[in-house]
């Protein structure tokens, strides 16, 4: 405290030190040091409103010290007498009344000089420059803040009008000195006015790297909500969590809820039974704020839920005019009921996609899998129940796979990353006896990544049940949960279920071909993208393995599983695959896919065949020589080679997927294989896929385009190739149809999750065109007639459903109404009007509806290699013809699309009400053709992360404050911040939440203030702040001038979105109102605070290009009454 005072003090003021005056006694010097130190503390207390009660106790001590020193301390003594008197002055007038001796420091006058751009150092305490004097930190912080405020005001005046001022001038000071909202509230009202004025000007253009405490000072709780919580930063939960809000917004929300829950597509009202049925349909997680907000304009979500529900009996409609007493009535009812049962059994596959990741389970309650109801009701008999006659079922195990899919759909509701799903919870929900539904439930847990918590002994207990369905679910689930990990324990488990890889001395295991196929795909998932050489060799051999006695029926599905596994192991590695160049993998796969006259691999084929025969695995029912069976190996090789070179744009490999270029070449390829060749050739040349009709046409061979007319019939004209008549016209129509379908699938996969309007239009047109073709096509029994020049109805139906799935890929998660209308019309068809509607048709359409509303409209598909591979595996274009059909493709693989799902839904949450709201976003997307911007309302599905350049909450002409959303350039992920908590409020996992703050002024647009009687109603509708609500209540009940004045001021502060200014208005009013009654130091403090506010308004506030937070006229009027 022996630091010398600053230079440039007023005349007569000298520095205090050990050498000032030789005749001075040592005690006198120490008294001066003590006086100046305590005076500096006194000035520090005057700047802190929370320490004002200490000032009356400090003043007598200071006055006694000044009296004790005498002489040169007369100015100090007079200053303290003035502060304690009933009348006071401000500014230089204090020094002018004093004798010419040392002048005491005055921080208020120093701050006035800072605002006035004059020399302020003369008014600073001498010890303020000593950083070791920690008790003066508050004075230093206030001084630095005022210096930055002055610099910012001058920068606003000097800036070009086209540029916005840099708010970091003030923010840097706030960050450096660790200012918080609590610190700001410590400032007296006069000192707070300049700071609040600048803060009001800075909050429009915040940056994303500021601390949360700064955002709270700026009244930007939307930005502070994503910052790490701090006990001293006032980052606490919103008021509405503890108070019951009675606002218009809340009332409107409940009205929306009522409308959605109590409306129906039909004219009838919902009953209590229907509400119970909805709660038990396996889709209860759909009913939440975000989905209601997104689809609040109509009932599409409710209708989709009703369409995919399989837990209630459906009405059986008999032909009109049918006599109910006719003896054939029961047979007709059973026939209708069986057709409906086939549809119902296919619904769980789509329901799994519809309800994906929408539910949070209760850890203390068992998880319930909804029932699969196949019974019906008879509307003409008072809704009497009718049960499906099991004697009419083709096989007794017809319900095995539908129940498996039902279990998968139930398990897929559980979102990823949920802490509740522990090993204890999974074991607790284990069924007593093996069941198909629980087997599917286990697979779903694996697809969502939850089976990783199980120990190897838990997995053994499941496998030891020796149930085929449970084994399939566990193998695929554990592999999916450990994708790409190459875990040796899981690898041993998988190879244990592939008897072909067992050693010669190993005991023989009776395993179905379905379990073996699941194990092969599991190997591909476990070694995803690793290019593991041994796994590559093993899976390549399994593609051409000869059928055994028991597995010859499912040989195609087994080979396809091996091809899928091989493609997954080498996914998108292309020519960069290391360690496999000597295997000639591409050449072998091309031979397995296309065949040919070359016998380059004949020796290897013979060795493999001999090894199969030696092991006794040769089928006695299927006789095959050393050559390959293209009907078995071609789809498998196409998948393997296509996945290996996915998105590589390798023209050489793409050329291997060649299509026949003449009618003669059609004799050497199955028509449905053309679909796979067009598909994978397009996906290899990823960058060349365009959402244009021209690109679609280019994928169809020229001679097929020339042969097929616009109505789908094969032309018989002399202008066509001369050998056209040598080929069955029906085959030409089929080839053209499959080529068109393959190109449509490629287009859907390329634009998956993009909601691209061009791709949607093309696929919609293709579906409508094929529906027209189907209306003119013959039944399957007529295809051999000489006059048949069209594709048959089953082929057209298959292609229509596959293209519908492609359309749903493009619009995944969007809930597009036009697409849903088309899919719903496809689902509502029956056998009477549309021909035979098979299990395959129902499954594909239900999947398409599920994809359209993926995760209740919260999820979408990505286009990464892993995502595309998962989609292609689940959408193999040959769907099962019956519930027991696994010949071409294992039904369990239909659910692997889960591995390609991304959470790209952006939700906006109001930080005041803590409710999800609609908010206008501006998104800038970068494509190869250039960047473009578009606007959308939340909740919305964002584009892929790699395509997003910027996201901005629209502030101009919007309801909410403008704010950017940070897009990381390193990992291309949208990140709000590292914290997932706001105070004590945990945010659910896998949710993208954008916190927004509503502009109060926008809420008052168009409203007219009718007086204080209206203020409480207005404030109650537009804010939840209890301070403002309480103040409005006080204003509305009073009849005095205070109530009238501050009703208007409250409305002004809310309408202009400056609620913090109300504190300054109230403090100034109370200062003037009680000025005559105020005595002593409080009177002096009030006058000096008013002086600071007045000086700022006249000097610096005019430099800010905006309306002042506190009206200058009000400040001047208050000053005129106290000066």
């Amino acid at each position: 405290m022996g630091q010398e005072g600053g230079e440039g003090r007023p005349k007569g003021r000298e520095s205090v030190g050990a050498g000032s005056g030789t005749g001075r006694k040592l005690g006198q010097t120490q008294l001066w040091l003590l006086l100046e130190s305590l005076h500096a503390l006194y000035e520090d207390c005057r700047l802190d409103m929370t320490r004002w009660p200490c000032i009356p106790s400090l003043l007598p001590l200071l006055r006694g010290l000044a009296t004790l020193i005498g002489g040169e301390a007369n100015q100090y003594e007079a200053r303290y007498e003035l502060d304690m008197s009933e009348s006071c002055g401000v500014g230089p007038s204090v020094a002018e009344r004093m004798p010419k001796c040392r002048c005491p420091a005055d921080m208020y006058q120093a701050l006035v000089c800072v605002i006035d751009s004059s020399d302020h150092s003369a008014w600073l305490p001498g010890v303020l420059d000593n950083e070791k004097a920690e008790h003066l930190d508050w004075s230093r912080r206030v001084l630095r803040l005022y210096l930055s405020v002055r610099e910012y005001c001058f920068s606003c005046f000097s800036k070009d009008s086209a540029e916005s001022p840099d708010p970091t001038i003030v923010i840097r000071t706030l960050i450096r000195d660790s200012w918080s909202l609590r610190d700001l509230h410590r400032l007296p009202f006069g000192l707070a006015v300049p700071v609040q004025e600048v803060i009001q000007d800075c909050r429009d253009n915040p940056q994303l790297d500021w601390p949360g405490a700064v955002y709270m000072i700026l009244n930007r709780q939307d930005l502070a909500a994503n910052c790490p919580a701090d006990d001293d930063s006032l980052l606490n939960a919103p008021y509405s969590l503890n108070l019951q809000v009675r606002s218009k917004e809340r009332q409107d929300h409940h009205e929306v809820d009522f409308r959605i829950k109590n409306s129906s597509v039909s004219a009838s009202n919902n009953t209590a039974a229907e509400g119970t049925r909805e709660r038990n349909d396996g889709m209860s997680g759909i009913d939440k704020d975000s989905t209601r907000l997104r689809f609040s304009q109509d009932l599409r979500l409710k209708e989709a839920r009703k369409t995919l529900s399989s837990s209630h009996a459906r009405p059986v409609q008999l032909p009109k005019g049918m006599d109910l007493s006719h003896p054939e009535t029961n047979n007709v009812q059973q026939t209708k009921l069986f057709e409906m049962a086939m549809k119902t059994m296919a619904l769980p596959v789509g329901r799994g996609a519809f309800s994906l990741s929408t539910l949070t389970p209760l850890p203390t309650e068992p998880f319930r899998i909804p029932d699969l109801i196949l019974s019906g009701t008879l509307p003409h008999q008072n809704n009497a129940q009718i049960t499906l006659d099991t004697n009419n079922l083709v096989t007794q195990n017809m319900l095995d796979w539908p129940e498996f899919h039902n279990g998968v759909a139930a398990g897929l509701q559980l979102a990823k990353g949920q802490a509740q799903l522990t090993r204890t919870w999974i074991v607790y929900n284990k069924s007593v006896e093996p069941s198909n539904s629980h087997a599917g439930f286990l697979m779903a847990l694996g697809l969502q990544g939850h089976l990783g918590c199980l120990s190897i002994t838990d997995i053994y207990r499941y496998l030891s049940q020796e149930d085929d369905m449970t084994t399939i679910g566990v193998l695929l689930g554990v592999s999916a949960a450990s994708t790409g990990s190459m875990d040796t324990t899981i690898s041993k488990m998988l190879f244990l279920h592939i008897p072909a890889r067992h050693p010669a001395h190993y005991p023989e295991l009776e395993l179905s071909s379905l379990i073996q196929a699941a194990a092969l795909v599991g190997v591909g998932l476990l070694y995803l993208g690793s290019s593991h050489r041994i796994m590559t060799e093993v899976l390549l051999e399994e593609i051409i393995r000869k059928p055994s006695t028991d597995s010859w029926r499912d040989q195609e599905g087994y080979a396809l599983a091996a091809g899928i596994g091989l493609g997954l192991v080498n996914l998108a590695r292309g020519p960069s695959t290391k360690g496999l160049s000597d295997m000639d993998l591409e050449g072998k796969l091309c031979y397995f896919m296309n065949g040919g006259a070359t016998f380059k691999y004949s020796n290897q084929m013979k060795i493999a065949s001999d090894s199969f025969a030696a092991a006794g695995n040769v089928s006695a029912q299927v006789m095959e020589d050393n050559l390959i069976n293209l009907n078995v190996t071609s789809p498998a090789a196409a998948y393997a080679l296509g996945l290996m070179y996915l998105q590589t744009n390798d023209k050489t490999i793409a050329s291997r997927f060649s299509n026949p270029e003449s009618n003669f070449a059609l004799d050497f390829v199955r028509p449905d294989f053309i679909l796979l060749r067009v598909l994978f050739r397009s996906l290899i040349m990823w960058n060349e896929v365009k959402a244009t009709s021209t690109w679609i046409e280019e994928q169809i061979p020229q001679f097929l385009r020339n042969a097929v007319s616009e109505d789908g019939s094969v032309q018989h004209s002399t202008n066509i190739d001369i050998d056209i008549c040598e080929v069955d016209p029906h085959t030409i129509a089929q080839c053209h149809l499959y080529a068109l379908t393959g190109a449509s699938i490629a287009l859907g996969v390329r634009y998956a999750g993009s909601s691209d309007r061009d791709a949607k239009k093309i696929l919609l047109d293709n579906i409508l065109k094929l529906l027209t073709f189907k209306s003119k096509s013959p039944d399957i029994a007529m295809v051999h007639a000489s006059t048949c020049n069209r594709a048959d109805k089953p082929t057209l139906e298959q292609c229509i459903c596959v293209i519908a799935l492609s359309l749903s890929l493009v619009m995944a998660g969007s809930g597009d109404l036009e697409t849903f209308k088309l899919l719903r019309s496809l689902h509502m068809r029956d056998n009477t009007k549309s021909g035979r509607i098979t299990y395959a048709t129902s499954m594909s359409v239900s999947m398409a509806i599920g994809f359209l509303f993926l995760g209740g409209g919260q999820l979408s598909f990505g286009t990464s290699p892993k995502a595309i591979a998962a989609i292609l595996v689940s959408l193999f274009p040959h769907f099962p013809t019956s519930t027991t059909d696994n010949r071409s493709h294992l039904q369990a693989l239909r659910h692997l699309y889960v591995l390609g799902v991304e959470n790209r839904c952006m939700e906006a949450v109001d930080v005041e009400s803590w409710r999800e709201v609609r908010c206008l976003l501006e998104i800038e997307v970068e494509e190869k053709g250039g960047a473009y911007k578009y606007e959308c309302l939340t909740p919305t599905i964002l584009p892929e992360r790699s395509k997003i350049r910027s996201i901005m909450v629209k502030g101009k002409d919007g309801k909410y404050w403008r704010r950017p959303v940070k897009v990381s350039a390193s990992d291309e992920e949208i990140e709000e911040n590292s914290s997932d908590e706001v105070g004590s409020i945990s945010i659910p996992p896998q949710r993208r939440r954008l916190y927004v703050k509503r502009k109060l002024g926008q809420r008052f647009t168009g409203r007219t203030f009718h007086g204080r009687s209206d203020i409480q109603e207005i404030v109650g509708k537009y804010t939840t702040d209890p301070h403002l609500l309480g103040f409005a209540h006080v204003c509305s009940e009073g009849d005095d001038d205070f109530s009238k004045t501050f009703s208007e001021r409250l409305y002004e502060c809310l309408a202009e979105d400056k609620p913090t200014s109300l504190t300054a208005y109230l403090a100034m009013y109370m200062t003037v109102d009680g000025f005559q009654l105020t005595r002593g130091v409080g009177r002096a403090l009030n006058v000096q605070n008013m002086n600071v506010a007045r000086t700022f308004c006249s000097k610096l506030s005019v430099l800010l290009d905006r309306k002042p937070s506190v009206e200058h006229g009000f400040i001047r009027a208050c000053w005129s009454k106290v000066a």
Side-chain angles (χ1 to χ4, degrees):
M1 292 190 297
Q3 181 79 10
E4 293 186 357
E7 298 179 0
R9 297 179 181 274
K11 186 176 181 181
R13 185 171 185 182
E14 300 175 0
S15 300
V16 179
S20 61
T22 57
R24 180 181 299 167
K25 297 180 180 180
L26 183 60
Q28 189 79 352
T29 302
Q30 297 301 323
L31 288 175
W32 265 111
L33 292 175
L34 181 59
L35 177 60
E36 287 214 348
S37 298
L38 289 178
H39 182 79
L41 178 62
Y42 168 68
E43 291 295 327
D44 193 76
C45 292
R46 283 165 25 97
L47 300 180
D48 187 353
M49 195 166 58
T50 61
R51 290 190 288 168
W52 278 7
C54 302
I55 295 178
S57 302
L58 190 59
L59 269 176
L61 176 61
L62 291 170
R63 182 181 179 184
L65 280 174
T67 303
L68 184 61
I69 294 174
E72 297 180 354
N74 288 339
Q75 286 196 12
Y76 282 85
E77 185 178 1
R79 162 70 185 279
Y80 302 140
E81 292 178 354
L82 186 63
D83 286 350
M84 297 172 65
S85 65
E86 295 185 4
S87 61
C88 60
V90 294
S93 59
V94 175
E96 291 170 1
R97 297 198 203 108
M98 307 291 183
K100 294 187 177 180
C101 48
R102 290 187 177 89
C103 180
D106 190 340
M107 284 300 299
Y108 273 93
Q109 189 59 35
L111 297 180
V112 169
C113 292
V114 170
I115 296 173
D116 202 20
S117 302
S118 59
D119 185 15
H120 64 279
S121 60
W123 297 100
L124 300 178
V127 295
L128 193 64
D129 294 335
N130 188 355
E131 296 293 337
K132 294 182 179 180
E134 297 180 358
H135 62 285
L136 302 179
D137 282 345
W138 179 252
S139 297
R140 298 189 191 94
R141 294 171 65 188
V142 173
L143 178 62
R144 285 193 290 264
L145 181 59
Y146 262 68
L147 291 173
S148 64
V149 167
R150 182 182 65 179
E151 184 181 357
Y152 176 75
C153 292
F154 280 115
S155 70
C156 294
F157 179 72
S158 60
K159 281 275 186 181
D160 184 13
S161 59
E163 301 180 14
S164 59
D166 184 11
T168 58
I169 298 174
V170 178
I171 301 303
R172 281 196 301 265
T173 303
L174 294 175
I175 296 174
R176 173 191 170 186
D177 292 334
S178 302
W179 281 84
S180 66
L181 189 60
R182 183 175 296 141
D183 294 334
L184 198 64
H185 290 164
R186 292 167 59 188
L187 289 175
F189 69 90
L191 302 185
V193 168
V195 178
Q196 290 177 353
E197 193 77 41
V198 174
I199 285 174
Q200 191 83 0
D201 205 49
C202 291
R203 65 174 176 169
D204 295 337
N205 299 297
Q207 297 181 6
L208 295 181
D209 55 352
W210 293 345
V214 173
Y215 295 133
M216 294 297 291
I217 291 174
L218 298 179
N219 200 24
R220 292 299 301 271
Q221 292 86 348
D222 53 332
L223 297 172
N226 287 107
C227 297
D230 186 358
D231 293 337
D232 297 328
S233 63
L234 297 182
L235 293 179
N236 47 16
Y239 297 118
S240 60
L241 294 178
N242 301 316
L243 298 176
Q244 183 176 3
V245 181
R246 294 178 300 173
S247 63
K248 179 64 178 176
E249 181 178 348
R250 188 175 181 89
Q251 294 171 2
D252 291 345
H253 177 76
H254 285 302
E255 290 173 3
V256 173
D257 275 5
F258 184 83
R259 184 175 66 251
I260 292 178
K261 291 182 178 180
N262 295 284
S263 298
S264 175
V265 178
S266 63
S268 63
N269 295 326
N270 287 337
T271 62
E274 184 177 353
T276 304
R277 182 181 67 196
E278 286 189 354
R279 287 194 297 270
N280 300 329
D281 62 358
M283 295 175 280
S284 57
I286 296 296
D287 189 19
K288 52 188 177 182
D289 289 346
S290 57
T291 53
R292 287 193 292 266
L293 273 177
R294 190 162 185 219
F295 305 111
S296 61
Q297 303 300 320
D298 48 49
L299 299 173
R300 71 183 79 176
L301 192 71
K302 182 180 178 66
E303 184 65 21
R305 180 176 180 175
K306 180 181 177 182
T307 301
L308 295 176
S309 177
S310 59
S311 59
H312 64 278
R314 296 179 180 271
V316 179
Q317 301 292 344
L318 297 180
K320 292 182 179 180
M322 184 175 183
D323 186 6
L324 299 181
S325 61
H326 196 278
E328 291 297 323
T329 301
N330 185 56
N331 293 336
V332 174
Q333 291 175 349
Q334 286 295 323
T335 301
K336 288 284 187 181
L337 188 60
F338 182 78
E339 295 174 2
M340 294 170 52
M342 294 301 292
K343 279 189 177 183
T344 302
M345 288 186 286
L347 293 179
V349 182
R351 193 181 78 236
F354 180 75
S355 60
L356 181 62
S357 299
T358 58
L359 190 65
T360 302
L362 296 176
T364 57
E365 295 184 5
F367 185 76
R368 183 181 180 278
I369 298 177
D371 298 327
L372 189 64
I373 305 298
L374 301 181
S375 59
T377 60
L378 299 174
H380 55 280
Q381 297 181 7
N382 297 324
N383 291 324
Q385 291 282 338
I386 178 174
T387 306
L388 185 65
D389 187 0
T390 56
N391 295 326
N392 293 335
L393 298 181
V394 180
T395 58
Q396 293 301 318
N397 60 348
M398 195 170 184
L399 293 178
D400 288 354
W401 281 106
E403 290 177 351
F404 181 89
H405 297 315
N406 192 41
V408 174
L412 289 180
Q413 297 178 84
L414 309 180
K416 295 181 180 179
Q418 297 205 5
Q420 294 92 337
L421 297 189
T422 61
R423 172 189 174 275
T424 304
W425 188 88
I426 296 176
V427 174
Y428 171 70
N429 283 278
K430 181 180 178 180
S431 59
V432 178
E433 296 292 335
S435 65
N436 299 324
S437 58
H438 188 72
F441 178 69
L442 290 174
M443 179 179 173
L445 293 181
L447 290 172
Q448 293 284 52
H450 300 309
L451 287 188
C453 62
L454 294 183
S455 63
I456 193 65
T457 55
D458 296 324
I459 297 175
Y460 170 76
R461 291 189 182 98
Y462 281 112
L463 297 178
S464 61
Q465 295 178 355
E466 297 183 2
D467 178 70
D468 286 0
M469 289 297 189
T470 302
T471 303
I472 291 173
V474 170
L475 293 182
L476 289 175
V478 172
S479 301
S482 306
T483 300
S485 65
M486 297 190 292
D487 186 273
T488 55
T489 303
I490 300 177
S491 178
K492 293 177 182 178
M493 177 192 70
L494 294 173
F495 277 98
L496 180 66
H497 294 83
I498 306 178
R501 312 312 304 179
H502 291 175
H505 63 277
Y506 203 81
E508 182 178 354
L509 297 178
E510 294 184 2
L511 297 172
S512 69
S513 59
L514 302 184
I515 294 178
Q516 299 178 46
L520 291 173
V521 177
V523 171
L525 293 173
L526 188 66
Y527 290 87
L528 181 71
S530 64
S531 293
H532 196 284
R533 183 180 178 91
I534 295 179
M535 301 302 155
T536 301
E537 293 175 347
V538 168
L539 294 171
L540 182 64
E541 291 181 5
E542 296 307 309
I543 292 178
I544 58 174
R545 179 168 295 280
K546 301 301 179 182
S548 63
T549 302
D550 299 327
S551 63
W552 66 274
R553 294 182 183 275
D554 301 321
Q555 184 186 6
E556 296 176 30
Y558 183 88
L560 179 63
I564 291 173
L566 178 60
L568 293 176
V569 170
N570 299 279
L571 180 62
R573 300 304 295 269
S576 63
T577 304
K578 297 180 180 179
L580 303 180
S581 57
D582 60 322
M583 292 182 60
D584 192 18
L585 196 58
E586 295 80 1
K588 293 178 182 178
L589 290 176
C590 288
Y591 180 63
F592 298 161
M593 179 174 61
N594 301 324
T598 177
F599 292 89
K600 179 178 180 180
Y601 308 108
S602 296
N603 188 35
Q604 299 178 19
M605 296 288 297
K606 186 176 185 307
I607 295 175
S609 179
D610 294 342
S611 65
F612 300 156
N617 293 327
V618 179
S619 174
Q621 301 181 19
V622 178
M623 305 300 294
E624 293 186 356
D625 55 14
N626 296 336
L627 299 179
I628 61 173
N629 184 351
L630 289 181
N631 293 322
V632 175
T633 63
S634 185
Y639 259 80
L641 190 59
L643 293 179
M644 284 177 58
Y645 282 84
L646 185 67
Q647 299 180 343
T648 58
N649 297 290
D650 191 310
K651 294 184 179 181
T652 303
I653 298 300
S655 64
R656 301 291 187 95
F657 291 89
S658 58
N659 284 317
E661 295 297 336
S662 65
N663 293 317
F664 175 75
L666 291 179
D667 291 336
F668 301 95
V669 60
R670 263 175 47 181
D672 55 327
F673 288 175
I674 295 178
L675 186 153
L676 295 178
R677 295 186 183 185
V678 173
L679 170 63
F680 284 107
R681 182 183 63 196
S682 302
L683 295 182
I684 290 174
M685 303 302 296
W686 182 264
N687 294 339
E688 294 185 2
V689 179
K690 306 296 181 184
T692 61
S693 301
T694 304
W695 181 86
I696 294 287
E697 292 294 327
E698 290 175 350
Q699 309 313 306
I700 305 174
Q702 181 66 37
F703 80 99
L704 292 178
R705 297 203 303 267
N706 296 336
V708 179
S709 62
E710 291 294 330
D711 63 350
S713 62
V714 178
Q715 300 177 3
H716 294 277
S717 173
T718 56
N719 297 329
I720 311 300
D721 192 357
I722 192 172
D723 63 343
I724 189 170
C725 296
E726 298 176 4
V727 182
D728 183 7
H730 173 68
T731 303
I732 295 178
Q734 277 191 324
C735 292
H736 179 274
L737 183 60
Y738 280 121
L740 175 66
T741 305
S744 299
I745 300 176
L747 183 65
V749 173
R750 173 62 178 84
Y751 290 92
S754 66
S755 298
D756 186 271
R757 296 299 170 185
D758 295 333
K760 169 193 169 183
K761 183 179 184 305
I762 292 172
L763 295 175
L764 271 175
D765 292 343
N766 288 342
I767 295 175
L768 297 177
K769 180 170 64 175
L770 295 190
L771 286 172
T772 304
F773 291 175
K774 185 181 178 183
S775 64
K776 302 176 182 179
S777 64
D779 294 330
I780 188 66
M782 300 292 295
V783 297
H784 298 293
S786 58
T787 59
C788 178
N789 62 345
R790 296 178 180 273
D792 54 275
K793 275 182 168 46
T795 302
L796 281 164
E797 183 66 26
Q798 175 192 3
C799 294
I800 289 171
C801 294
V802 172
I803 299 178
L805 269 171
S806 304
L807 175 61
S808 67
L809 285 179
V810 176
M811 309 304 294
S814 67
D816 180 69
L817 187 58
E818 185 180 7
T819 303
F820 179 55
K821 288 180 179 179
L822 174 64
L823 296 178
R824 186 173 176 271
S825 66
L826 293 177
H827 173 77
M828 298 298 291
R829 295 176 301 169
D830 56 24
N831 294 350
T832 304
K833 298 180 180 179
S834 304
R836 187 166 179 265
I837 304 301
T838 63
Y839 179 72
T841 299
S842 301
M843 178 181 286
S844 57
V845 174
S846 71
M847 284 186 72
I849 297 176
F851 288 171
L852 184 64
F853 294 93
L854 191 62
Q858 306 295 299
L859 307 175
S860 190
F861 288 112
T863 55
S864 64
K866 177 184 175 182
I868 295 302
I871 293 173
L872 291 173
V873 172
S874 62
L875 298 189
F876 183 71
H878 291 279
F879 281 80
T881 57
S882 67
T883 60
T884 59
D885 182 16
N886 290 278
R887 178 173 182 176
S888 300
H889 184 262
L890 181 63
Q891 288 193 39
L893 302 182
R894 295 292 175 187
H895 302 281
L896 287 189
Y897 65 85
V898 177
L899 301 179
V901 170
E902 292 181 352
N903 179 19
R904 303 211 308 263
C905 182
M906 179 66 80
E907 303 168 359
V909 178
D910 192 329
V911 292
E912 291 184 350
S913 63
W914 203 250
R915 306 180 66 85
E916 294 181 9
V917 294
R918 285 183 172 273
C919 177
L920 184 63
L921 298 182
E922 181 184 76
I923 303 176
E924 185 177 6
V925 180
E926 186 172 10
E927 298 278 4
K928 289 188 176 180
Y932 63 93
K933 294 181 181 181
Y934 71 94
E935 295 181 353
C936 59
L937 285 173
T938 60
T940 184
I941 297 293
L942 297 176
E944 285 192 84
R945 300 171 183 175
S946 59
K947 298 179 181 179
I948 298 177
R949 177 180 290 183
S950 66
I951 302 177
M952 181 71 68
V953 177
K954 293 284 287 185
K956 187 178 181 181
D957 300 330
K959 295 182 180 180
Y960 298 91
W961 279 100
R962 180 179 180 271
R963 60 156 297 185
V965 179
K966 187 174 182 181
V967 180
S968 175
S970 58
D971 56 2
E972 296 178 344
E973 289 189 0
I974 300 174
E975 56 182 14
E976 291 277 3
N977 226 321
S978 59
S979 174
D980 280 341
E981 294 188 357
V982 180
S984 61
I985 308 303
S986 61
I987 293 179
Q990 302 298 321
R991 302 283 292 277
R992 296 195 179 279
R993 291 200 168 190
L994 175 69
Y995 296 96
V996 295
K997 180 178 175 61
R998 194 168 186 178
K999 293 181 179 180
L1000 292 176
Q1002 289 293 330
R1003 309 185 190 190
F1004 288 83
T1005 302
R1007 290 194 64 97
T1008 303
F1009 181 59
H1010 299 292
R1012 62 180 182 274
S1013 60
D1014 193 35
I1015 189 63
Q1016 186 175 8
E1017 179 185 358
I1018 294 175
V1019 175
K1021 288 181 178 180
Y1022 298 111
T1023 184
T1024 60
D1025 191 329
H1027 302 97
L1028 296 177
L1029 293 174
F1031 190 73
H1033 177 71
V1034 172
C1035 293
S1036 62
E1037 291 188 347
D1039 293 329
D1040 53 1
D1041 292 338
F1042 174 84
S1043 300
K1044 179 180 179 181
T1045 301
F1046 276 90
S1047 294
E1048 298 175 356
R1049 292 301 175 192
L1050 178 58
Y1051 184 85
E1052 171 198 333
C1053 292
L1054 296 181
E1056 298 178 8
D1057 205 352
K1058 52 178 184 180
T1060 55
S1061 301
L1062 187 63
T1063 305
Y1065 277 120
L1066 187 60
M1068 293 181 190
Y1069 180 88
M1070 298 302 293
T1071 297
V1072 174
D1073 187 60
F1075 185 72
Q1076 300 300 328
L1077 302 177
T1078 306
R1079 297 292 185 268
V1081 66
R1083 190 183 184 94
L1085 289 172
N1086 288 335
V1087 173
Q1088 288 187 306
N1089 274 279
M1090 288 297 303
N1091 184 43
V1092 173
R1094 177 190 64 85
T1095 306
F1096 176 78
C1097 292
S1098 60
K1099 298 294 183 180
L1100 293 183
S1101 181
V1102 294
L1103 303 180
L1104 301 177
D1105 187 19
R1106 61 185 306 276
K1107 187 176 181 180
S1109 299
V1110 181
E1111 288 187 1
H1112 294 177
F1114 184 85
I1115 296 177
R1116 295 190 185 98
C1118 292
W1119 170 251
S1120 65
K1121 295 182 180 181
V1122 301

